[in-house]
Amino acid sequence: MKKLILFVSCLIFSLSVLAHGPTPQKVQESITVNVSPEKAWELVKDFGAISTWLSAAKETKIEKRGEDTYRIITLESGDKLDEKLRSTDEDLKKIRWEITKGNVPFTDFNAYMIVSKGSNDNESVIQWTARFYRVYKLNPPIPEGQDDATAKAAVQGFVDSGLAGLKKVLESK
Amino acid sequence: MSIRNKLFLLLLMGMLIISLIFTFLSQIEPVNRAYITNQGENTVSVVDLNTLSVDQRIAVGSSPLGVAIVPSKNLAVIGNVDSKNLSIINLDKNKVVSTIPLDTAPLGIVANASGDKVFITSWFKNQVLALSTHDFSVLHSFSVGITPSGIAFNEKYNAIVVANRDADTVEIYDADNYKLRKKVKVGSHPYGISTNSSFILVANVYDDTISIINMENWVQKVIKVGFYPYNAIVHEEKAYVTNAQGDNISIIDLKTFQEIKKINTGETPENISIDKINNRLIVTNWGSDSVTIIDLQTQEPIAQIKTGLQSRAFGQFIYTK
């Protein structure tokens, strides 16, 4: 039975990679952290360190696939998430990545984080922006759990707890 | 003539001169505006491209995306994806003058050369709709490939070109009898499309490439650009491509078919139009809720203006008069 569920969810996900609904969803949040932007950026850009600040990411390992860098995240649920590093920009203190595989209630997820200067040299602002779509691609009615609200709530949860986790880790160092 | 009458005459002449000056000034400063759909807040921002300021925000339907300017009718047609209707904006008043219900989600919108018709891709129904701009009645609808997205009008060939995102094809239809003239296989996930003279440009989102198709011989060139190209336009022998996940645009030389430069924009740049009066590119940034203004002479960004939440403006969004 478990295998069947896994198969069906894989099927849903692979279908969803092929297509998505017309309106991308957005979650954009910021948090002020009492460390310098340089210090905040050091942690934010460390692609393999996500498990130190995102509690839902139980374990993370970095994998090289040709030129590309991936992180394979094992979630609390046991599900795995493949995320591909798109770019890191040292000047703008910006990192970009996308989810390439995973059993989550949203699809076509890509995101970026930007670290900027706060009101003084020892304060920084971390902004996290995510773009994604709901799972269901076709004309309404939309099945329960595959709508915009479900997708948004799931991403909002990751973003809120992630930013809070970053603040906690950075300020305790 | 009494002194009173003389004074009155003088005043009248003074007013005449002032009004002449104003008329003259308004002629050397043409109307030059961008109409930017903000999908996250159901508005359209009107940006004055001469002063680089946002003049106003117009409330429209739910999740506005597509835009087409119809200068001959003094109208902007806005497509609202979630409320499945069109908001028609009068360009003199900058007000919504009518809302046209559709039974589908409008994605791309384009007008023909005379402006008597607009063509709209119907996302869920895999169709293109042709509407009269006189009363916005549907004149005709016809089936195209799966999830039709970008749509453009080619004046030289009187043709409608459509990017079918999930079919990985571009289709070319006659703009009068709606017959299919040609179907071309392109890269993966074609989304934004434009056409100029004999060329069709389409962004292959999943391949990080654009395809340039020559309508004279159907030869297709594929050019590597940045991450997640979203739209591509041609202007004076160069192509400009928004790289949505690269946070930049690519400039392609159309003589050599090579990328010559990348220019940083705001986050998640999606769509692009040319401000011909000031020789600038205007790029909408979904991520940073803004537009980036790029000088075409120096090929440098000169300003970023906040517009509204999730600025997209899918289509040609600049109005000049």
Side-chain angles (χ1 to χ4, degrees), chain B residues 162-218:
Chain B
V162 184
N164 299 310
R165 199 196 63 181
D166 296 332
D168 299 338
T169 58
V170 165
E171 289 176 328
I172 295 97
Y173 291 88
D174 186 288
D176 285 322
N177 66 24
Y178 311 114
K179 289 213 167 77
L180 179 68
R181 285 195 193 156
K182 188 81 182 173
K183 181 155 130 181
V184 182
K185 194 87 186 162
V186 292
S188 181
H189 214 80
Y191 192 77
I193 195 166
S194 68
T195 177
N196 188 304
S197 179
S198 295
F199 289 110
I200 296 171
L201 276 76
V202 64
N204 303 310
V205 181
Y206 285 173
D207 287 349
D208 299 338
T209 64
I210 62 163
S211 290
I212 300 180
I213 301 159
N214 187 334
M215 292 172 83
E216 279 166 14
N217 51 22
W218 303 111

Side-chain angles (χ1 to χ4, degrees), chain A residues 17-26 28 86 94 96 98 108 110 112 114 130-131 137-139, chain B residues 39 81-82 84 123-124 165-166 189 206 208 227-228 230 244-245 247 267-268 270 286-287 289 310 312:
Chain A
V17 166
L18 288 174
H20 55 68
T23 307
Q25 302 299 306
K26 183 179 188 177
Q28 184 169 59
R86 270 292 197 171
K94 176 163 75 182
R96 265 193 171 275
E98 61 181 356
D108 289 75
N110 71 79
Y112 57 87
I114 300 172
R131 179 182 170 117
K137 310 302 173 195
L138 304 174
N139 221 346
Chain B
Q39 198 165 33
V81 172
D82 286 342
K84 296 187 178 173
W123 178 266
F124 288 125
R165 199 196 63 181
D166 296 332
H189 214 80
Y206 285 173
D208 299 338
F227 295 144
Y228 259 64
Y230 217 76
Q245 280 192 49
D247 301 333
E267 271 77 47
T268 326
E270 286 203 353
W286 178 90
D289 306 324
Q310 299 170 36
R312 299 188 77 190

Side-chain angles (χ1 to χ4, degrees), chain A residues 106-156:
Chain A
F106 47 85
T107 67
D108 289 75
F109 175 99
N110 71 79
Y112 57 87
M113 280 173 120
I114 300 172
V115 178
S116 52
K117 196 174 168 291
S119 57
N120 62 63
D121 287 348
N122 286 313
E123 193 181 283
S124 49
V125 177
I126 305 173
Q127 186 203 54
W128 183 345
T129 307
R131 179 182 170 117
F132 52 95
Y133 292 83
R134 68 171 187 239
V135 171
Y136 190 70
K137 310 302 173 195
L138 304 174
N139 221 346
I142 303 162
E144 213 186 305
Q146 298 184 23
D147 58 351
D148 290 337
T150 305
K152 209 166 172 177
V155 174
Q156 188 78 47

Side-chain angles (χ1 to χ4, degrees), chain A residues 57-104:
Chain A
K58 219 175 72 187
E59 202 185 282
T60 303
K61 79 175 197 287
I62 289 284
E63 218 176 272
K64 281 273 178 195
R65 296 180 193 165
E67 296 275 286
D68 297 323
T69 302
Y70 285 76
R71 64 183 173 201
I72 317 303
I73 301 173
T74 307
L75 295 171
E76 274 171 326
S77 58
D79 286 330
K80 285 201 192 319
L81 217 54
D82 284 20
E83 296 192 329
K84 180 183 177 182
L85 178 65
R86 270 292 197 171
S87 60
T88 44
D89 187 322
E90 290 288 336
D91 293 336
L92 298 172
K93 296 189 174 62
K94 176 163 75 182
I95 181 168
R96 265 193 171 275
W97 74 96
E98 61 181 356
I99 296 179
T100 56
K101 211 169 106 189
N103 177 25
V104 280

